[in-house]
Amino acid sequence: MGWQLMKRYEPELEIKFAAKSGFLSKDLWNDFFASGSVSWKNKLWASFVKEKIFFPHYAKVASHVLVPNKRHSLVQKVVGDGLVSAPFVSQLDHDERLARMVLTLLKDGIATNYRLEPELKRLSAGVQRHYESQQKDKLPDALILLPDEKKTRIAIELELTKKDPKRYRKIMNTYASFRRADKVIFVVRNDRISQTIRQAMRDTYYPHWTKPVGFGRLEDWTQNPGTARIVFDDKVTRLLEMAKLPTEKTA
């Protein structure tokens, strides 16, 4: 029955997301894109591969992940050549966690637009599809736009593991001159990471008074990124408050 009905479903939103991120996981699809019964969703998910709109991720351990087929007519219609490469399997956990946060903020109206690091790299590289990894400057893991009066641009960095202090110093030097963000938020797994970043800010004389840096805990952001605490030097706030939305918005 339903095969003809499934063929009418064109996953344009899914393609647009995957063009930015390089992938679409089944968990993200179920939570942010899909609707209907479990059996219907399973058939529809399988149809993406059957119709060759998406391909399975190259890594066998990532059987829950699809990547868009750049040669499919629907993909070309929706995003043209504006596709990024699939993330390495070692990066998938990080990228899926980050994408879940960003998609939640969009769903709750706390962010009105976004770009992910792969897309930012592609745009920085001009018309080249494959980004050269030796690019000098660090780009945000995500860049979101808030709906407040100033249209505040927030750079988000998701730090699951502690980096070398030298690398953090380089990141802070880059953000000091990065003009596409008004504020920076580091979402960290533990206090050791935030302490290392704060030290890098001191070492580089980072101008936090012109581009504030805030810190959030991974556990809180995983539960609800809109209401999670963000600790800046002068205050503790939340994206919900920064977006000037009523508290009950994400209650």
Side-chain angles (χ1 to χ4, degrees), residues 98-113:
L98 179 72
R100 180 170 292 278
M101 294 174 188
V102 171
L103 291 172
T104 299
L105 293 171
L106 283 173
K107 183 178 73 172
D108 291 342
I110 295 173
T112 58
N113 202 356

Side-chain angles (χ1 to χ4, degrees), residues 143-146 148 150-155 179-184:
L143 191 62
I144 64 171
L145 182 68
L146 300 186
D148 62 318
K150 294 182 179 180
K151 306 298 181 186
T152 302
R153 300 163 299 176
I154 306 289
R179 296 182 178 180
R180 285 180 281 174
D182 303 304
K183 300 178 189 293
V184 183

Side-chain angles (χ1 to χ4, degrees), residues 47-213:
S47 77
F48 295 163
V49 175
K50 187 177 180 73
E51 294 296 315
K52 297 183 178 179
I53 301 172
F54 287 85
F55 291 136
H57 192 278
Y58 69 88
K60 291 183 179 179
V61 295
S63 59
H64 64 296
V65 173
L66 302 180
V67 298
N69 174 9
K70 66 177 182 178
R71 293 186 176 86
H72 193 279
S73 59
L74 180 60
V75 175
Q76 292 176 352
K77 171 189 168 185
V78 174
V79 296
D81 294 327
L83 284 166
V84 302
S85 299
F88 293 116
V89 68
S90 60
Q91 187 72 14
L92 272 174
D93 178 57
H94 172 279
D95 289 3
E96 188 168 1
R97 287 173 184 267
L98 179 72
R100 180 170 292 278
M101 294 174 188
V102 171
L103 291 172
T104 299
L105 293 171
L106 283 173
K107 183 178 73 172
D108 291 342
I110 295 173
T112 58
N113 202 356
Y114 73 102
R115 295 194 190 279
L116 301 174
E117 184 180 18
E119 183 185 20
L120 291 168
K121 288 178 176 178
R122 180 184 65 79
L123 294 172
S124 295
V127 297
Q128 296 179 5
R129 178 178 180 275
H130 293 290
Y131 170 72
E132 298 296 332
S133 61
Q134 47 278 46
Q135 174 164 319
K136 180 178 167 183
D137 292 337
K138 170 73 174 76
L139 291 167
D141 286 345
L143 191 62
I144 64 171
L145 182 68
L146 300 186
D148 62 318
E149 187 175 317
K150 294 182 179 180
K151 306 298 181 186
T152 302
R153 300 163 299 176
I154 306 289
I156 298 176
E157 293 287 343
L158 175 58
E159 297 294 308
L160 301 180
T161 57
K162 182 174 171 291
K163 295 182 175 69
D164 183 84
K166 182 178 179 180
R167 188 170 175 188
Y168 282 125
R169 289 194 292 271
K170 185 176 181 180
I171 289 173
M172 299 321 302
N173 278 327
T174 297
Y175 270 122
S177 58
F178 187 72
R179 296 182 178 180
R180 285 180 281 174
D182 303 304
K183 300 178 189 293
V184 183
I185 298 172
F186 285 90
V187 179
V188 300
R189 174 163 264 158
N190 55 57
D191 291 337
R192 286 176 53 235
I193 298 174
S194 59
Q195 290 167 3
T196 305
I197 297 171
R198 290 180 188 279
Q199 184 60 53
M201 293 172 64
R202 291 190 288 270
D203 292 344
T204 57
Y205 301 98
Y206 177 82
H208 58 84
W209 54 92
T210 60
K211 188 174 295 172
V213 172

Side-chain angles (χ1 to χ4, degrees), residues 233-244:
D233 279 348
D234 58 343
K235 64 180 178 180
V236 176
T237 186
R238 303 173 296 164
L239 283 178
L240 184 65
E241 295 171 357
M242 294 170 65
K244 302 294 191 291

